[in-house]
């Protein structure tokens, strides 16, 4: 088992990081859909009876996976190559610089790519996808500033380069659950009406 993990995090690191990004974005959506169904059941006021629920939306989960796989290569390159070329300083000072670079470049890139890419995959066209970016980008980016700098301090200060993307991917499971909820929240509200 350790030899398999070693290969995944050495020889196949690019593939591991790309698939982890996609898989964990999809898993975040699965968690969100489960929570949406539980909320709808609770709101119906009848927790004892089986409340008819919609089936899992695998198309939505597939789109989340696709976006994750599309931004996965960027994540891999950013965390394993680029950021250390931009910031060569070590210690706490270097860590703070990496966090600022991450928030200035990777945060906006991922946020834009997520909303634009999801809009395109949902068939909204360029105008519809850009409108979703306009509607949701700023809120998510502001929240991003409260979540990611403390998490990235651990990442940049304590972890070896080869574990950065996987660490970020697992933390993004929580973040992705939020993103999926925020992205699809109007759908949840439509079911309540």
């Amino acid at each position: 088992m350790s030899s398999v993990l070693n290969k995944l995090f050495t020889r196949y690191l690019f593939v591991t990081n790309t698939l982890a990004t996609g898989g964990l974005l999809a898993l975040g959506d699965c968690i969100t859909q489960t929570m949406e169904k539980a909320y709808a059941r609770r709101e119906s006021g009848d927790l004892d009876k089986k409340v008819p629920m919609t089936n899992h939306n695998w198309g939505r989960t597939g789109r989340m996976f696709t976006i994750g796989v599309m931004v996965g290569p960027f994540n891999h390159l950013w965390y394993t190559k680029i950021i250390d070329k931009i910031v060569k300083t070590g210690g706490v000072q270097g860590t703070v610089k990496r966090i600022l670079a991450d928030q200035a470049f990777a945060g906006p890139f991922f946020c834009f790519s997520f909303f634009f890419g999801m809009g395109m995959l949902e068939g909204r066209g360029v105008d519809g996808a850009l409108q979703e970016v306009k509607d949701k980008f700023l809120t998510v980016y502001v929240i991003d500033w409260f979540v990611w700098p403390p998490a990235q301090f651990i990442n940049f200060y304590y972890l070896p380069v080869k574990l950065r993307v996987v660490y970020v991917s697992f933390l993004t499971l929580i973040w992705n659950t939020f993103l999926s909820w925020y992205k699809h929240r109007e759908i949840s509200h439509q079911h309540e009406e």
Side-chain angles (χ1 to χ4, degrees):
M1 182 64 168
S2 66
S3 66
V4 171
L5 287 174
N6 187 42
K7 284 181 183 177
L8 288 175
F9 289 99
T10 54
R11 184 182 303 163
Y12 304 113
L13 186 60
F14 177 82
V15 173
T16 299
N17 288 337
T18 300
L19 292 177
T21 303
L24 290 167
L25 199 56
L27 183 57
D29 181 63
C30 290
I31 292 168
T32 299
Q33 288 192 51
T34 301
M35 291 168 50
E36 289 168 352
K37 291 172 189 172
Y39 176 78
R41 187 170 179 207
R42 189 183 80 212
E43 288 299 303
S44 72
D46 200 356
L47 295 175
D48 295 332
K49 287 186 181 175
K50 214 170 197 184
V51 178
M53 303 302 261
T54 58
N55 290 333
H56 185 88
N57 184 340
W58 288 107
R60 173 177 143 177
T61 301
R63 288 187 293 275
M64 296 286 281
F65 175 79
T66 300
I67 290 300
V69 168
M70 289 171 67
V71 299
F74 171 81
N75 284 354
H76 172 80
L77 293 172
W78 177 253
Y79 290 115
T80 63
K81 307 246 187 259
I82 297 170
I83 200 161
D84 287 331
K85 286 185 180 179
I86 294 172
V87 179
K88 296 181 183 189
T89 313
V92 173
Q93 183 181 13
T95 299
V96 170
K97 287 179 180 179
R98 282 180 186 85
I99 290 168
L100 292 174
D102 193 53
Q103 289 300 115
F105 299 109
F109 171 81
F110 181 76
C111 192
F112 176 87
S113 298
F114 175 75
F115 287 118
F116 184 80
M118 286 295 289
M120 292 299 290
L121 289 173
E122 292 169 343
R124 295 181 184 202
V126 172
D127 290 339
L130 286 174
Q131 186 59 51
E132 186 161 24
V133 170
K134 288 177 189 174
D135 292 344
K136 297 178 179 177
F137 177 90
L138 186 58
T139 300
V140 170
Y141 188 55
V142 168
I143 294 168
D144 184 277
W145 271 92
F146 289 96
V147 172
W148 285 106
Q152 292 294 44
F153 184 85
I154 294 167
N155 192 19
F156 296 133
Y157 192 72
Y158 294 108
L159 295 180
V161 171
K162 69 180 184 178
L163 296 180
R164 284 181 181 169
V165 174
V166 171
Y167 168 81
V168 166
S169 293
F170 276 104
L171 286 177
T172 58
L173 183 55
I174 297 165
W175 181 250
N176 293 341
T177 301
F178 161 74
L179 278 180
S180 179
W181 168 80
Y182 193 76
K183 159 82 178 99
H184 300 101
R185 66 194 164 104
E186 64 273 356
I187 295 168
S188 297
H189 293 306
Q190 288 171 1
H191 290 306
E192 294 171 19
E193 297 172 355

